[in-house]
Amino acid sequence: MGKPVLPTYKTIAAEITNRIHEGEYKSGSYLPSENQLAREFEVTRTTIRKALNILKERGTIESHQGKGYRVKLLHWEQSLLTFYSFGRDIAWKVQNPETRLLSYNKIRGLKNINEFINTELWEITRLRFMNEIPLILETSYIPVKVMPEFKEEDLKQNSLYNLLKENGVHIVKAKEYLEPVLPSLEDQKLLNIKQNTPLFQTLRYTYDSNEKLLEVRESLIRGDHFRFSVEMTL
Amino acid sequence: MGKPVLPTYKTIAAEITNRIHEGEYKSGSYLPSENQLAREFEVTRTTIRKALNILKERGTIESHQGKGYRVKLLHWEQSLLTFYSFGRDIAWKVQNPETRLLSYNKIRGLKNINEFINTELWEITRLRFMNEIPLILETSYIPVKVMPEFKEEDLKQNSLYNLLKENGVHIVKAKEYLEPVLPSLEDQKLLNIKQNTPLFQTLRYTYDSNEKLLEVRESLIRGDHFRFSVEMTL
DNA sequence: AAGTGGTCTAGACCACGCC
DNA sequence: GCGTGGTCTAGACCACTTA
């Protein structure tokens, strides 16, 4: 009746993931080589490769033959942008990305979210532009306990992920739900669209390694400039 | 200056994929064991495992310790249903799925699709129900050359994938694009919704192994009963 | 008990990037 | 030429399923 022990390769994958979180292996830098890691963990290269492959499939790192494994930058935000890929017929370049902070307030609790009932929350609303066109309207809810303070400047420049990271909070998992919706009057004004322009509404729930809810984010994305794409095989 | 030879494991993965397509390994049945395959292909078990893992990640097969590798049934249709998962707060069971054939006609060419210009096409419109609620309105375009004939019954009962398979056509890849849209007057009637009920519109392009376009399908999916979900790690 | 997939070791050779 | 990741071999032990 001992503890069910994780296979080594998963343990190692988790350990390396941690080191990336903790900043020991920084975004954009190269990991130690397979051989070095094999010596450190006292396993064979095969086992290390299996561990690294997990991170590679997740999109956390990328491998380059002859060079090494590199920690990808902006993993999430980036994969979201390729995920909702750009418009119907346009060969846009994502230029001049800009974020405008619309408001931030302390509120108490959030209906429909059990985990946030009777919790003091930041409500942060931001508008994201590309090529000077307003494309995404985002509202985030974050417990004040999780992020006691922040500067206005940070919300414009940095991603929330990096902000939380600097506060010692490590995001590990997110679930996202997507639905088609129509804009409210206010949405129409902010996004500069008509009432019959359909939108993607996404709801994202972000968790730390203890399954604690860290952020709820609602995004409204203009359907006339973004689309989803998926590829399937077999 | 020899041909660049594919790595063995990819070749084997392709070969096994083919056998599934050809019906040698049938949906729902078990593959030969790793050891048997290793003997047949004259490689080690490790190489066979790597090949099978590719199919496993794609969702083509599933593995069961102590039993073997099983070919999944209805791979695509199924993954689409878990992909667009069900409604906001409902614990629906997917019951009484039903397909109603609305119309099928021969038409000539499809604007905006270069591959189908001056091509004789079937235009097949179907309405899909679940629990007696109309949820998806689908229109497919298939070259008459690809599927010269079919019975009305088949379109109600079978999936197009199986129909094409029986015609010796092997689907290999599909790209799908997703956008939010509003219903036309006719859509409103057929799907029994109001004009302000937003929909997902999906465009799916299906290809065979020679990259030839086999089918273009437009689906309109009720946004009030379906939603997308995605999970991300790290 | 025999067969299957799941994990790991120890060692080999190849293809690629870089100095 | 050397170090890196990519592929493959040969063999071991474990965990699970079935008879």
PDB file of all heavy atoms in Angstrom, chain B residues 20-35:
ATOM      1  N   ILE B  20      -5.547   0.825 -41.673  1.00  0.00           N
ATOM      2  CA  ILE B  20      -6.829   1.190 -41.056  1.00  0.00           C
ATOM      3  C   ILE B  20      -7.767   1.729 -42.131  1.00  0.00           C
ATOM      4  O   ILE B  20      -8.936   1.369 -42.195  1.00  0.00           O
ATOM      5  CB  ILE B  20      -6.615   2.209 -39.929  1.00  0.00           C
ATOM      6  CG1 ILE B  20      -5.861   1.559 -38.771  1.00  0.00           C
ATOM      7  CG2 ILE B  20      -7.954   2.751 -39.434  1.00  0.00           C
ATOM      8  CD1 ILE B  20      -5.451   2.511 -37.671  1.00  0.00           C
ATOM      9  N   HIS B  21      -7.217   2.585 -42.995  1.00  0.00           N
ATOM     10  CA  HIS B  21      -8.033   3.116 -44.078  1.00  0.00           C
ATOM     11  C   HIS B  21      -8.579   2.006 -44.963  1.00  0.00           C
ATOM     12  O   HIS B  21      -9.757   1.995 -45.323  1.00  0.00           O
ATOM     13  CB  HIS B  21      -7.200   4.064 -44.952  1.00  0.00           C
ATOM     14  CG  HIS B  21      -7.020   5.406 -44.345  1.00  0.00           C
ATOM     15  ND1 HIS B  21      -5.836   6.100 -44.417  1.00  0.00           N
ATOM     16  CD2 HIS B  21      -7.858   6.179 -43.643  1.00  0.00           C
ATOM     17  CE1 HIS B  21      -5.962   7.242 -43.792  1.00  0.00           C
ATOM     18  NE2 HIS B  21      -7.184   7.316 -43.311  1.00  0.00           N
ATOM     19  N   GLU B  22      -7.710   1.095 -45.325  1.00  0.00           N
ATOM     20  CA  GLU B  22      -8.090   0.029 -46.267  1.00  0.00           C
ATOM     21  C   GLU B  22      -9.041  -0.962 -45.631  1.00  0.00           C
ATOM     22  O   GLU B  22      -9.603  -1.815 -46.310  1.00  0.00           O
ATOM     23  CB  GLU B  22      -6.836  -0.721 -46.742  1.00  0.00           C
ATOM     24  CG  GLU B  22      -5.742   0.150 -47.312  1.00  0.00           C
ATOM     25  CD  GLU B  22      -6.112   0.728 -48.676  1.00  0.00           C
ATOM     26  OE1 GLU B  22      -7.110   0.274 -49.242  1.00  0.00           O
ATOM     27  OE2 GLU B  22      -5.405   1.643 -49.137  1.00  0.00           O
ATOM     28  N   GLY B  23      -9.191  -0.889 -44.326  1.00  0.00           N
ATOM     29  CA  GLY B  23     -10.116  -1.795 -43.662  1.00  0.00           C
ATOM     30  C   GLY B  23      -9.452  -3.072 -43.162  1.00  0.00           C
ATOM     31  O   GLY B  23     -10.118  -3.951 -42.636  1.00  0.00           O
ATOM     32  N   GLU B  24      -8.126  -3.160 -43.323  1.00  0.00           N
ATOM     33  CA  GLU B  24      -7.450  -4.364 -42.828  1.00  0.00           C
ATOM     34  C   GLU B  24      -7.528  -4.405 -41.300  1.00  0.00           C
ATOM     35  O   GLU B  24      -7.777  -5.452 -40.713  1.00  0.00           O
ATOM     36  CB  GLU B  24      -5.991  -4.351 -43.288  1.00  0.00           C
ATOM     37  CG  GLU B  24      -5.268  -5.641 -42.966  1.00  0.00           C
ATOM     38  CD  GLU B  24      -3.864  -5.674 -43.545  1.00  0.00           C
ATOM     39  OE1 GLU B  24      -3.600  -4.931 -44.516  1.00  0.00           O
ATOM     40  OE2 GLU B  24      -3.030  -6.441 -43.022  1.00  0.00           O
ATOM     41  N   TYR B  25      -7.306  -3.263 -40.678  1.00  0.00           N
ATOM     42  CA  TYR B  25      -7.573  -3.143 -39.237  1.00  0.00           C
ATOM     43  C   TYR B  25      -8.873  -2.365 -39.096  1.00  0.00           C
ATOM     44  O   TYR B  25      -8.920  -1.164 -39.360  1.00  0.00           O
ATOM     45  CB  TYR B  25      -6.440  -2.406 -38.534  1.00  0.00           C
ATOM     46  CG  TYR B  25      -5.075  -3.038 -38.718  1.00  0.00           C
ATOM     47  CD1 TYR B  25      -3.929  -2.255 -38.748  1.00  0.00           C
ATOM     48  CD2 TYR B  25      -4.929  -4.421 -38.838  1.00  0.00           C
ATOM     49  CE1 TYR B  25      -2.676  -2.831 -38.912  1.00  0.00           C
ATOM     50  CE2 TYR B  25      -3.690  -4.999 -38.995  1.00  0.00           C
ATOM     51  CZ  TYR B  25      -2.561  -4.196 -39.035  1.00  0.00           C
ATOM     52  OH  TYR B  25      -1.332  -4.756 -39.194  1.00  0.00           O
ATOM     53  N   LYS B  26      -9.918  -3.007 -38.660  1.00  0.00           N
ATOM     54  CA  LYS B  26     -11.234  -2.376 -38.672  1.00  0.00           C
ATOM     55  C   LYS B  26     -11.524  -1.571 -37.412  1.00  0.00           C
ATOM     56  O   LYS B  26     -10.946  -1.828 -36.354  1.00  0.00           O
ATOM     57  CB  LYS B  26     -12.308  -3.453 -38.858  1.00  0.00           C
ATOM     58  CG  LYS B  26     -12.206  -4.186 -40.201  1.00  0.00           C
ATOM     59  CD  LYS B  26     -13.527  -4.858 -40.566  1.00  0.00           C
ATOM     60  CE  LYS B  26     -13.454  -5.442 -41.971  1.00  0.00           C
ATOM     61  NZ  LYS B  26     -12.410  -6.508 -42.112  1.00  0.00           N
ATOM     62  N   SER B  27     -12.420  -0.600 -37.551  1.00  0.00           N
ATOM     63  CA  SER B  27     -12.857   0.217 -36.420  1.00  0.00           C
ATOM     64  C   SER B  27     -13.318  -0.676 -35.275  1.00  0.00           C
ATOM     65  O   SER B  27     -14.136  -1.568 -35.470  1.00  0.00           O
ATOM     66  CB  SER B  27     -14.038   1.111 -36.835  1.00  0.00           C
ATOM     67  OG  SER B  27     -13.573   2.292 -37.420  1.00  0.00           O
ATOM     68  N   GLY B  28     -12.797  -0.436 -34.093  1.00  0.00           N
ATOM     69  CA  GLY B  28     -13.245  -1.185 -32.928  1.00  0.00           C
ATOM     70  C   GLY B  28     -12.455  -2.444 -32.650  1.00  0.00           C
ATOM     71  O   GLY B  28     -12.548  -3.001 -31.566  1.00  0.00           O
ATOM     72  N   SER B  29     -11.647  -2.889 -33.622  1.00  0.00           N
ATOM     73  CA  SER B  29     -10.875  -4.118 -33.407  1.00  0.00           C
ATOM     74  C   SER B  29      -9.491  -3.769 -32.845  1.00  0.00           C
ATOM     75  O   SER B  29      -9.089  -2.613 -32.820  1.00  0.00           O
ATOM     76  CB  SER B  29     -10.728  -4.879 -34.723  1.00  0.00           C
ATOM     77  OG  SER B  29      -9.888  -4.155 -35.596  1.00  0.00           O
ATOM     78  N   TYR B  30      -8.784  -4.806 -32.407  1.00  0.00           N
ATOM     79  CA  TYR B  30      -7.457  -4.594 -31.856  1.00  0.00           C
ATOM     80  C   TYR B  30      -6.380  -4.829 -32.909  1.00  0.00           C
ATOM     81  O   TYR B  30      -6.495  -5.730 -33.751  1.00  0.00           O
ATOM     82  CB  TYR B  30      -7.220  -5.532 -30.666  1.00  0.00           C
ATOM     83  CG  TYR B  30      -7.889  -5.029 -29.410  1.00  0.00           C
ATOM     84  CD1 TYR B  30      -9.202  -5.382 -29.112  1.00  0.00           C
ATOM     85  CD2 TYR B  30      -7.219  -4.168 -28.552  1.00  0.00           C
ATOM     86  CE1 TYR B  30      -9.822  -4.895 -27.973  1.00  0.00           C
ATOM     87  CE2 TYR B  30      -7.828  -3.678 -27.407  1.00  0.00           C
ATOM     88  CZ  TYR B  30      -9.129  -4.042 -27.127  1.00  0.00           C
ATOM     89  OH  TYR B  30      -9.731  -3.543 -26.008  1.00  0.00           O
ATOM     90  N   LEU B  31      -5.337  -4.023 -32.847  1.00  0.00           N
ATOM     91  CA  LEU B  31      -4.182  -4.220 -33.724  1.00  0.00           C
ATOM     92  C   LEU B  31      -3.419  -5.454 -33.265  1.00  0.00           C
ATOM     93  O   LEU B  31      -3.590  -5.903 -32.122  1.00  0.00           O
ATOM     94  CB  LEU B  31      -3.247  -3.001 -33.645  1.00  0.00           C
ATOM     95  CG  LEU B  31      -3.778  -1.639 -34.062  1.00  0.00           C
ATOM     96  CD1 LEU B  31      -2.647  -0.625 -34.004  1.00  0.00           C
ATOM     97  CD2 LEU B  31      -4.339  -1.698 -35.471  1.00  0.00           C
ATOM     98  N   PRO B  32      -2.533  -5.978 -34.122  1.00  0.00           N
ATOM     99  CA  PRO B  32      -1.585  -6.981 -33.646  1.00  0.00           C
ATOM    100  C   PRO B  32      -0.755  -6.375 -32.519  1.00  0.00           C
ATOM    101  O   PRO B  32      -0.610  -5.164 -32.439  1.00  0.00           O
ATOM    102  CB  PRO B  32      -0.706  -7.254 -34.875  1.00  0.00           C
ATOM    103  CG  PRO B  32      -1.511  -6.791 -36.048  1.00  0.00           C
ATOM    104  CD  PRO B  32      -2.373  -5.676 -35.550  1.00  0.00           C
ATOM    105  N   SER B  33      -0.218  -7.212 -31.667  1.00  0.00           N
ATOM    106  CA  SER B  33       0.529  -6.689 -30.512  1.00  0.00           C
ATOM    107  C   SER B  33       1.828  -6.039 -30.966  1.00  0.00           C
ATOM    108  O   SER B  33       2.301  -6.260 -32.079  1.00  0.00           O
ATOM    109  CB  SER B  33       0.836  -7.827 -29.549  1.00  0.00           C
ATOM    110  OG  SER B  33       1.882  -8.629 -30.067  1.00  0.00           O
ATOM    111  N   GLU B  34       2.395  -5.249 -30.086  1.00  0.00           N
ATOM    112  CA  GLU B  34       3.663  -4.590 -30.384  1.00  0.00           C
ATOM    113  C   GLU B  34       4.708  -5.592 -30.834  1.00  0.00           C
ATOM    114  O   GLU B  34       5.444  -5.355 -31.792  1.00  0.00           O
ATOM    115  CB  GLU B  34       4.165  -3.851 -29.145  1.00  0.00           C
ATOM    116  CG  GLU B  34       3.326  -2.653 -28.759  1.00  0.00           C
ATOM    117  CD  GLU B  34       3.854  -2.004 -27.489  1.00  0.00           C
ATOM    118  OE1 GLU B  34       4.691  -2.628 -26.817  1.00  0.00           O
ATOM    119  OE2 GLU B  34       3.426  -0.890 -27.180  1.00  0.00           O
ATOM    120  N   ASN B  35       4.755  -6.721 -30.144  1.00  0.00           N
ATOM    121  CA  ASN B  35       5.767  -7.727 -30.491  1.00  0.00           C
ATOM    122  C   ASN B  35       5.539  -8.295 -31.885  1.00  0.00           C
ATOM    123  O   ASN B  35       6.489  -8.463 -32.649  1.00  0.00           O
ATOM    124  CB  ASN B  35       5.750  -8.851 -29.447  1.00  0.00           C
ATOM    125  CG  ASN B  35       6.482  -8.426 -28.183  1.00  0.00           C
ATOM    126  OD1 ASN B  35       7.556  -7.821 -28.259  1.00  0.00           O
ATOM    127  ND2 ASN B  35       5.889  -8.689 -27.039  1.00  0.00           N
TER     128      ASN B  35
END
